[in-house]
Amino acid sequence: MEDIIARLLVADNAVIQQATKDLKAAIKNPSAIGDLCTVIVTSKNSQIRQYAAVIMRQRLSKAKIWNHLDSQLKARLTQDILGTLHSEFEQSVVKAIVQLIGTVAKHELNSSNALLLLEFVGKLCSVEVSDDHAQKLRGFFVLCVLSEECPDLFATVLPNIGALVANTLQNEIDAKSPLVWHGLNTMKNLAAHFSDDQSIKSCYSVMLPQMLKAVKALANSEEDMASDLLEMLDDLIENSVITTMHQITPILNMCMELAGSEIKEEQIQIKALSIVDTIVKMKKKAIIKHNLLLPILQTLVQVLQMPCDEDLDYESGNEMNSPVIYGSQVLDGLALNLPPGKLMPHLLESIQMLAVAENPNKKKASYVIMAVTAEGCAEYICNKCFKLYLELVCKGLEEPVVFVRNAALYALGQFAEHLQPEIGKHSEQLMPVLFKFLEHITVNLENLEGKIHLDRVFYALETFIEHSEKETFLPYLAPLIANLLALVTAKESSTHLKQLALSAIGACATTAEDNISPFVPRIVECLSVYLVNQLPEELSCLQVQAIDTMATLARAVSPENFQQVASDCIRYGYIILEKECDPEMEGSIYGLFGAVSAVLKENMKDVMGPVIGSMLKTIESSEGIVVHYDDDDSPGFPGCGDLSDSPDEVDLEVTSDEDEDEEDIAGYSVENVYLDKKAAACYAVKELALNTGAAFNPYLTPCFSPILKLLEYPHDTIKKAALDALTQLCINWSASMELDGKTFENNVSVFIQKCAEIIHTNEEREVVGQALESYGNLLKSAKNFTLKQSTHREAIFNCILDVIHKRTLCQLEEEDSSAEDEENAEQDELLIEYAGDVLPYFGRAMSADDFKPYFVTIFPVLKSKLKESGTVAQRSFAIGIIAECMEPLGPVVLEFSNEILPAFIAGATDEHCDVRNNAVYGLGEMLYHGKEKFFLHYENVLQLLSMCLVQETVPKVIDNICGAVARMIVVNANLVPIAQVFPVIINCLPLKKDFKENSIMMKCFMHLYEGGHDIVAQHLEKILHTIIHIIHQKQGEEDALLLAEHLFTCIKRDFPDRVSALRISEDVIPTYSKLINK
């Protein structure tokens, strides 16, 4: 046996291959285990001893092999191997032997050999032999390896092991001692396996000071060991082994000290910041209560000022090896998880101080702080410091230092994404600045300032375009497209620049919608170059982006303007899919097919079979899964990778599909590109189902089960995509009379229960929000079909109620937080809004009498958010949800009028426009659905609305005042002084922001017209202009547009001369002509 192993160590492949065959033959011999034991004990060569231990461990890894050994051989093995540990001094051999012992121990947990092993380890580690430091160190090394290999061995003696380690560490003077290291790793291994054991938690309370001392001692000399200890601390906090603020506070203080110090190894700073991030997420309210927020912020501001590579990308997350990048991510987490009122006052001081500093790194820090707080503290910023943010970022865009200017561009992109509608009001100020950046790039293609600068310019530009209002953006459309196409076609443009320009064209299409039609032929001509031609691999990114941009065009442009291009897209897609393409491109093709279905609709049926087949293959695929093996596995030892079983041996103790190497697998991961592809397939299925209607029916059942399984997928992006797709599949089922109703009921039932499970047990707010949105969409489209089973009502309502009461897992507060402070993070409030949005749809899916008890239950919670002490978001949310519930409550609303009507009246004069808007809308809805029961309130409400209209300057609120008056007119025009009111309302038209109100405006016009009111004829030209404008701009839902066309037809019939004499602007002539000739 020793000769065979020696030959495996020879640097000759032929010799190794023959030795491997000899080993496989020899290992089947009954004496093989004894022979290996002899080699371990007697060989003079340490490599051979180590190899023999690895081979034996592999062979004995399956229980059946061990169980087939006779008791005498087992006893000999145990005795000889344990005895060898006393005399073995090679660390690699000792580790291999201990791992072998751990493998054997797994099979002997309930035998006397387990007790013998524990006794042996105890003697090595005990205080009695402390005079022999080397022996004690050996003992702790054995303990450390065994705790990793076979933690169950220590299940009955955890308090003893904990006390042993804690006492030893307390008595160890040298914090850098390997004894400390092994002791801490032992407890880490046991904590991972027995995280709920009280003795483990007690042990950490005792040894925590020594642990922190070790980290500090190792930080500047043994960086890898210090980094491992910090990671250990992070895991202990995350797994709730270390829980109390008494324990966490010193950890936090140490991490802030490490993060803010100039350590030569940046990885230490990053690990320290990671712990801060974990503590913030798990103990957010306790941090405030224990006055730890300010020192955390001071440390992060200090980190963000550190000099760093000028080309850092704050958004990608791919450069987490920089403390500055990680620090920005931690601050982003603080903004998302803490109440902005606690966070922002401290940060505003730093922002103002850093922005005027001479040091460019300080200036950069100010813009990074503004950027990463924009999402989590959006409402606070818009209400209290938007002007400061805007002034500073405008100055930053003119900074001469490139990396400072890049940080300002990043901040502007974040503002555009999260600070709407405030930032949109300044388009005229900001768009020319961004356009100037783009023009500078266009004319300086041979002298550009670096990749990150390009990324920053296009990030700010694209985000600003996507979140701009169409009317304010359109003046810039033509010059923007011209510049972007010039960049795409210029020979001097780099591949990356062309990719950015193609993406920006897509952003233009998203905002401009059908207004981009005049430029479509030229854009498609440019895109076709990348779709039709075979491109080298280095240009594949351009092909992917071209496909994505084409898909965006398909969604933006009206179907009649994209029919021919859509057919070409299908052909392009097929050509690309038939080739072997990378997963990113395949995902983009799925997106293109989904987008084009909005144009071709039922005409997609001829190609849907193979397209959906490919998508389902992706959805069910396990491609991209990466297996991670333990560091100490046998792949590094030729010949011993498959010795635990021979082909002719059948293990009766395992199932037939068990992976023989399962114990060697440390874990799995999935490459991001395959996750994106799977998500793209789900979203494409959703789009196809939405757009193709009955043509999709044959694919409903085949798609449902595979996508349903994705709700168990470990990645949140996949869960969200699956929820979106499943919702649409259920909606399609409800819309079809041809399908089996029982299948629909069963699938909807399963889906509703799955959503309820996700809402209550998922830790991520975004996934929970998506599940709530699924409920809302399902109730909106499938209505009473969704609530056919009574259990569905309770499941959905309990989810709404539990989220509003913050009872779900993703909302749970830490035990030691104070209940007195009711201020929440804005993201927490956003989740509550998701739940509230479901309530009106829930009510509309049943009768008013059925909805009443549910509203009675939830109304006190909504009412409590209307207090003056509540935030703007809370008041706006509560009054908005109550307003939306007027329709499902119908005449029953009278029972709540004593409380709701005063709330609406008070809200109509609130200082914040969102609250006023929702309150005015609610007044109109209450009178509209309460009908005659509210006639006595007409006079007072009209006086209030008149006063509001005189004072109001916000367009959306004016729109809703018009809508409220229109509702009153439709219900009872006799109670409204039409002669005085109608001219005022007509002068506010067309509506400027809230185009949903065009439905009630058209109903009001129609009601007055059919009633023969003279006021209509007096204002006929204004009414006609409003109708044409609504139809031309498609401002409103389908019912509003149909009613507008019908009203125009009636007026044309009754007043042909006035219609033909109407003066109209040139841009609406095509719409006017269509209406005239209809």
Side-chain angles (χ1 to χ4, degrees), residues 270-435:
I270 292 170
K271 286 287 170 65
L273 287 167
S274 175
I275 293 175
V276 175
D277 195 35
T278 300
I279 293 171
V280 164
K281 289 173 181 173
M282 298 188 71
K283 297 286 182 182
K284 51 188 179 183
K285 296 219 168 168
I287 283 172
I288 296 171
K289 180 181 176 183
H290 291 269
N291 299 316
L292 292 167
L293 179 57
L294 182 56
I296 291 174
L297 292 177
Q298 289 171 337
T299 300
L300 291 175
V301 171
Q302 183 181 347
V303 169
L304 293 177
Q305 296 174 57
M306 290 178 177
C308 61
D309 189 331
E310 293 181 7
D311 276 349
L312 289 178
D313 189 341
Y314 300 99
E315 193 178 42
S316 71
N318 295 326
E319 300 186 46
M320 286 302 191
N321 58 337
S322 162
V324 175
I325 295 295
Y326 207 102
S328 71
Q329 299 296 321
V330 176
L331 185 55
D332 182 44
L334 279 166
L336 291 170
N337 287 287
L338 294 184
K342 305 292 184 184
L343 183 76
M344 288 303 299
H346 300 301
L347 287 176
L348 286 172
E349 292 180 21
S350 298
I351 288 169
Q352 290 172 293
M353 178 187 69
L354 294 170
V356 297
E358 293 295 325
N359 187 328
N361 283 302
K362 291 180 181 290
K363 287 186 177 181
K364 170 209 66 183
S366 71
Y367 297 118
V368 174
I369 294 169
M370 286 189 279
V372 298
T373 53
E375 180 181 6
C377 303
E379 183 194 349
Y380 184 99
I381 294 167
C382 286
N383 290 332
K384 299 193 176 181
C385 54
F386 178 79
K387 185 178 179 182
L388 171 68
Y389 267 45
L390 183 63
E391 285 177 1
L392 291 178
V393 85
C394 287
K395 289 179 182 178
L397 295 175
E398 298 174 355
E399 279 287 334
V401 180
V402 175
F403 70 82
V404 178
R405 198 162 64 244
N406 286 345
L409 284 164
Y410 172 50
L412 180 57
Q414 290 282 287
F415 295 177
E417 191 167 354
H418 303 296
L419 302 186
Q420 294 292 352
E422 295 303 316
I423 194 72
K425 297 173 184 176
H426 299 272
S427 293
E428 293 183 3
Q429 176 184 355
L430 293 168
M431 253 332 253
V433 177
L434 291 171
F435 198 78

Side-chain angles (χ1 to χ4, degrees), residues 970-1011:
V970 170
V971 173
N972 192 339
N974 295 327
L975 292 178
V976 179
I978 299 294
Q980 290 78 41
V981 170
F982 192 80
V984 177
I985 297 301
I986 200 74
N987 284 333
C988 295
L989 301 180
L991 301 181
K992 308 300 187 296
K993 294 289 181 183
D994 195 345
F995 302 129
K996 285 185 178 181
E997 291 299 278
N998 274 323
S999 294
I1000 193 64
M1001 296 310 304
M1002 291 301 104
K1003 285 179 184 177
C1004 175
F1005 288 169
M1006 200 71 211
H1007 179 75
L1008 293 173
Y1009 189 86
E1010 290 176 340

Side-chain angles (χ1 to χ4, degrees), residues 587 590-591 615 618-619 672-686 710 713 715-722 724-725:
Y590 293 157
M615 292 173 185
T618 293
I619 287 167
N672 285 341
V673 69
Y674 289 98
L675 291 176
D676 294 341
K677 176 184 168 184
K678 198 178 287 285
C682 289
Y683 287 124
V685 166
K686 179 258 180 89
L710 294 183
Y713 213 79
H715 294 83
D716 295 334
T717 53
I718 302 300
K719 286 178 183 170
K720 288 165 61 181
D724 212 19

Side-chain angles (χ1 to χ4, degrees), residues 418-614:
H418 303 296
L419 302 186
Q420 294 292 352
E422 295 303 316
I423 194 72
K425 297 173 184 176
H426 299 272
S427 293
E428 293 183 3
Q429 176 184 355
L430 293 168
M431 253 332 253
V433 177
L434 291 171
F435 198 78
K436 190 179 294 185
F437 275 107
L438 181 64
E439 286 183 324
H440 179 78
I441 291 170
T442 307
V443 299
N444 290 279
L445 289 176
E446 296 180 358
N447 189 29
L448 296 178
E449 297 182 60
K451 177 180 178 295
I452 290 297
H453 178 67
L454 290 178
D455 289 345
R456 285 284 162 262
V457 170
F458 275 91
Y459 169 67
L461 177 67
E462 190 169 329
T463 312
F464 206 86
I465 290 170
E466 285 178 339
H467 292 86
S468 292
E469 298 209 359
K470 184 165 63 174
E471 289 73 18
T472 58
F473 169 68
L474 288 179
Y476 303 98
L477 178 61
L480 264 175
I481 293 295
N483 271 270
L484 293 170
L485 288 175
L487 291 175
V488 172
T489 55
K491 292 181 180 179
E492 300 88 349
S493 293
S494 66
T495 299
H496 184 64
L497 180 55
K498 289 180 179 181
Q499 187 179 6
L500 293 170
L502 287 173
S503 180
I505 290 172
C508 291
T510 299
T511 300
E513 296 177 336
D514 205 36
N515 293 282
I516 204 168
S517 294
F519 308 99
V520 166
R522 178 69 181 120
I523 295 171
V524 170
E525 181 185 343
C526 290
L527 295 178
S528 298
V529 173
Y530 303 106
L531 296 178
V532 178
N533 299 327
Q534 183 73 35
L535 299 176
E537 187 175 346
E538 62 270 19
L539 296 182
S540 62
C541 62
L542 286 178
Q543 190 168 35
V544 170
Q545 186 57 64
I547 294 167
D548 289 343
T549 302
M550 188 72 87
T552 305
L553 282 174
R555 294 185 184 101
V557 177
S558 60
E560 58 268 24
N561 291 331
F562 209 75
Q563 283 286 340
Q564 183 54 52
V565 181
S567 300
D568 292 339
C569 287
I570 296 293
R571 183 165 52 84
Y572 295 152
Y574 263 123
I575 292 171
I576 294 171
L577 273 186
E578 283 175 356
K579 305 169 187 173
E580 190 171 334
C581 57
D582 64 63
E584 185 179 11
M585 191 173 298
E586 197 169 341
S588 292
I589 291 293
Y590 293 157
L592 180 61
F593 285 143
V596 165
S597 69
V599 179
L600 299 178
K601 300 190 182 300
E602 293 84 356
N603 293 329
M604 285 284 293
K605 63 183 178 182
D606 295 334
V607 299
M608 274 204 293
V611 167
I612 291 174
S614 179

Side-chain angles (χ1 to χ4, degrees), residues 1019-1068:
H1019 297 275
L1020 199 60
E1021 281 72 19
K1022 180 66 175 178
I1023 291 173
L1024 286 168
H1025 279 297
T1026 301
I1027 291 170
I1028 294 168
H1029 176 85
I1030 290 171
I1031 295 170
H1032 180 73
Q1033 296 291 343
K1034 296 179 181 177
Q1035 291 178 345
E1037 297 180 348
E1038 189 175 355
D1039 67 326
L1041 300 178
L1042 290 173
L1043 201 53
E1045 287 186 16
H1046 176 63
L1047 180 56
F1048 187 92
T1049 302
C1050 293
I1051 296 172
K1052 181 178 68 173
R1053 178 197 65 206
D1054 299 333
F1055 300 93
D1057 294 341
R1058 294 180 70 174
V1059 171
S1060 60
L1062 190 68
R1063 293 183 179 182
I1064 56 172
S1065 59
E1066 188 175 342
D1067 60 316
V1068 299

